[in-house]
């Protein structure tokens, strides 16, 4: 009789654990974590394009050393900040985003410098690099949006009943979203 009760308890436990959603939570968490890697990959692509862009501008505007140096330094800072995908806290994402914003600002200055040099603007190499950089910025935005969508799915899953019980039991924590820099809410001022 004890053996029958023991087997019955094991069967009930196995059935209830198979429908608890643990595996689907792991899958959702891994999907969001993998999408974060895509965000980082897009930022890395941008960082990889910068040396070519700087070298091209340097050939045309050698006396703009300060701007070129600031781009190189901002790139170094941006690539030095990394986040462990298992530790995507709001503070870590903000730190990562701050480093990337510094690089964006330096690139904007570089584009202003390029406006001063008609020969540079006409250079096929510069036009190609500028186009690649623009495409990369679009990819970064797409990957950030996909990451946020994955986080929405994961967070929704771990907060719904009855999966929230399993999530709490196994330590599935809410993930943070990639949020826009507060300065991005202010429209840029265009002056002619």
């Amino acid at each position: 009789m004890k053996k029958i009760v023991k087997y019955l308890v094991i069967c009930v436990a196995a059935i209830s654990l198979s429908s608890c959603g643990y595996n689907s939570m792991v899958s959702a968490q891994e999907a969001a974590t993998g999408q974060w890697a895509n965000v980082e990959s897009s930022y890395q692509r941008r960082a990889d394009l910068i040396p070519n862009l700087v070298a091209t501008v340097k050939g045309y505007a050698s006396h703009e050393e300060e701007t070129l140096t600031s781009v190189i330094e901002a790139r170094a800072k941006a690539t030095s900040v990394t986040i462990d995908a298992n530790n995507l806290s709001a503070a870590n994402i903000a730190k990562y985003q701050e480093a990337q914003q510094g690089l964006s600002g330096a690139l904007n200055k570089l584009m202003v410098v390029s406006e001063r040099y008609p020969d540079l603007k006409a250079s096929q190499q510069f036009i190609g690099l500028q186009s690649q950089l623009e495409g990369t910025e679009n990819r970064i935005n797409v990957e950030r949006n996909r990451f946020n969508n994955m986080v929405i799915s994961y967070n929704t899953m771990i907060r719904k009943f009855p999966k929230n019980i399993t999530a709490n039991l196994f330590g599935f924590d809410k993930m943070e979203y990639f949020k826009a820099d507060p300065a991005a809410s202010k429209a840029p001022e265009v002056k002619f």
Side-chain angles (χ1 to χ4, degrees), residues 165-187:
I165 296 169
T166 305
N168 288 331
L169 186 66
F170 289 103
F172 286 94
D173 296 323
K174 187 176 176 185
M175 295 178 83
E176 295 295 329
Y177 298 101
F178 196 101
K179 296 178 184 161
D181 182 28
S185 64
K186 182 181 172 189

Side-chain angles (χ1 to χ4, degrees), residues 24-191:
S24 58
M25 283 183 251
V26 169
S27 295
Q29 186 180 45
E30 287 301 315
T33 302
Q35 188 57 43
W36 178 253
N38 292 343
V39 170
E40 288 182 318
S41 175
S42 294
Y43 276 115
Q44 184 61 49
R45 176 177 160 72
R46 177 175 75 170
D48 292 344
L49 285 172
I50 290 170
N52 295 327
L53 195 60
V54 168
T56 304
V57 174
K58 193 182 271 189
Y60 284 89
S62 58
H63 61 282
E64 297 288 352
E65 195 66 37
E66 182 182 327
T67 302
L68 298 172
T69 302
S70 71
V71 170
I72 293 167
E73 288 172 356
R75 177 188 180 271
K77 182 180 178 188
T79 56
S80 70
V81 176
T82 58
I83 299 177
D84 178 13
N86 295 320
N87 190 17
L88 292 173
S89 67
N92 285 342
I93 291 175
K95 189 170 111 178
Y96 185 82
Q97 189 172 3
E98 182 182 326
Q100 296 301 329
Q101 283 302 114
L103 182 55
S104 294
L107 284 172
N108 287 339
K109 287 180 188 173
L110 185 65
M111 292 303 138
V112 168
V113 166
S114 72
E115 293 295 319
R116 293 187 211 145
Y117 300 94
D119 291 344
L120 173 61
K121 286 182 9 181
S123 161
Q124 288 299 88
Q125 184 180 9
F126 182 75
I127 291 169
L129 289 168
Q130 196 173 18
S131 175
Q132 286 182 37
L133 192 59
E134 181 181 323
T136 299
E137 293 295 334
N138 289 335
R139 285 181 191 172
I140 288 169
N141 188 47
V142 167
E143 296 302 340
R144 287 187 303 216
N145 289 339
R146 286 180 182 164
F147 170 74
N148 283 344
N149 288 335
M150 295 284 188
V151 170
I152 287 169
S153 296
Y154 169 76
N155 286 345
T156 302
M157 180 184 295
I158 66 167
R159 294 179 67 208
K160 282 184 174 178
F161 183 80
K163 291 184 180 178
N164 64 341
I165 296 169
T166 305
N168 288 331
L169 186 66
F170 289 103
F172 286 94
D173 296 323
K174 187 176 176 185
M175 295 178 83
E176 295 295 329
Y177 298 101
F178 196 101
K179 296 178 184 161
D181 182 28
S185 64
K186 182 181 172 189
E189 205 174 298
V190 179
K191 295 181 184 177

